[in-house]
Amino acid sequence: MRKPIIAGNWKMNKTMAETKEMITALAPKIVNADCDVVLCVPYTDLQAAKKAAKGTNIKIGAENVGWAEKGAFTGEVSAEMLNELKVTYVIIGHSERRQYFGETDATVNMRVQAALNAKLKPIVCVGETETERENGETEKVLEKQICEGLKGFKSKDFDKIVIAYEPVWAIGTGKTATATDANNTIGYIRHILAKKFHKSIAEKTRIEYGGSMNVKNCKELMAQEEIDGGLIGGASLKPDDFAFIVNYNK
Ligand code: PEP
């Protein structure tokens, strides 16, 4: 019922020339993918990425979006600007934005609203830090991030919203949650969605796992019942590795 989604997050990597090179190498390797394939790239690469991905099954996303329509917000890029580039997805609330740039659940909420207003599909990131996990606070942290970050959204919005469960301690560290742990925690997120929103929303919302997903662990992670996809950082920068993950079921 839920179509799997494998999304790359390039972070602050790749020039326009490298973007073209990567997508040209990747596209022929993933023509038979059964999942939605997305590459979220830096703003400056969006146009090159759209051009290189034309006629392929690769959808392009941004890594953030401003919450305001326009105005005095130096450094921000609006949803309308992304729309003009025909971007499909946008990552919101990545832990690196939360950690280094002061992103909060309240600003996540505003950015998701702006994305939805512009018919962009938000990939909303949630996840606990190592300390929160050690203190047994994972469930509490996730509940707050989901309830406040997604406050006010209705059933039809969840046709577009994708949630990425990314334990912060697993991002870029080479440490991965075990497949069982990731499955259970994503199951818990579904429980929150059912309790705070609606059972039908819990059933239909796509929830992906992120945190050092790679060629070695992707098959086991993707085989889990609750896991609908992956948000991939490091491994999305290499065409062979990303293609292998996209083709996890081949
Ligand atoms: C990410 O950037 O969302 C991520 C999961 O990174 P990595 O795969 O490198 O851990």
Side-chain angles (χ1 to χ4, degrees):
M1 183 180 111
R2 299 184 299 261
K3 188 170 186 197
I5 171 170
I6 299 289
N9 172 20
W10 281 5
K11 314 192 187 201
M12 197 172 71
N13 290 294
K14 293 201 189 287
T15 61
M16 285 194 283
E18 289 164 346
T19 298
K20 184 177 170 197
E21 202 180 316
M22 162 86 193
I23 294 179
T24 308
L26 173 68
K29 300 179 197 290
I30 57 159
V31 281
N32 295 320
D34 298 318
C35 56
D36 284 338
V37 183
V38 184
L39 284 176
C40 297
V41 307
Y43 292 133
T44 47
D45 291 335
L46 285 170
Q47 212 161 359
K50 279 296 298 183
K51 197 168 163 204
K54 197 167 177 202
T56 75
N57 53 348
I58 303 169
K59 300 266 190 313
I60 301 302
E63 298 178 16
N64 198 3
V65 61
W67 61 73
E69 277 180 28
K70 59 170 74 171
F73 296 97
T74 303
E76 289 288 278
V77 168
S78 76
E80 191 191 339
M81 293 167 188
L82 296 180
N83 242 341
E84 202 176 17
L85 292 170
K86 304 221 176 340
V87 163
T88 314
Y89 287 86
V90 59
I91 297 173
I92 297 175
H94 191 278
S95 67
E96 287 150 17
R97 301 294 321 169
R98 294 178 190 259
Q99 188 180 350
Y100 304 126
F101 302 101
E103 194 77 63
T104 65
D105 295 324
T107 55
V108 165
N109 189 271
M110 293 194 288
R111 291 186 202 278
V112 174
Q113 186 64 70
L116 290 172
N117 289 347
K119 302 203 167 15
L120 294 165
K121 296 180 178 174
I123 300 176
V124 182
C125 302
V126 297
E128 80 286 1
T129 63
E130 190 149 37
T131 312
E132 288 163 346
R133 186 179 180 86
E134 280 163 6
N135 292 344
E137 294 169 349
T138 300
E139 295 188 350
K140 189 180 88 184
V141 167
L142 292 174
E143 183 155 344
K144 180 177 175 297
Q145 289 174 337
I146 300 274
C147 291
E148 294 182 14
L150 299 178
K151 189 159 105 192
F153 297 114
K154 302 278 178 289
S155 180
K156 68 172 176 16
D157 299 325
F158 286 88
D159 294 334
K160 295 213 167 63
I161 293 170
V162 175
I163 296 175
Y165 167 58
E166 300 208 299
V168 180
W169 47 270
I171 298 178
T173 57
K175 293 186 209 169
T176 325
T178 64
T180 308
D181 255 10
N183 190 57
N184 289 344
T185 310
I186 289 179
Y188 182 73
I189 292 173
R190 255 183 241 294
H191 166 75
I192 299 170
L193 290 175
K195 191 172 71 169
K196 302 284 180 180
F197 294 85
H198 196 274
K199 191 166 167 272
S200 62
I201 291 177
E203 280 163 5
K204 74 175 174 179
T205 302
R206 294 191 291 179
I207 310 180
E208 40 179 25
Y209 168 79
S212 300
M213 197 192 262
N214 57 37
V215 295
K216 293 207 184 89
N217 57 31
C218 65
K219 285 181 190 282
E220 195 190 355
L221 285 161
M222 289 302 295
Q224 306 300 311
E225 207 180 316
E226 302 287 0
I227 302 181
D228 301 322
L231 184 56
I232 326 289
S236 74
L237 297 169
K238 301 176 208 141
D240 285 342
D241 286 17
F242 193 61
F244 186 94
I245 298 171
V246 166
N247 293 319
Y248 67 89
N249 59 344
K250 307 282 178 217

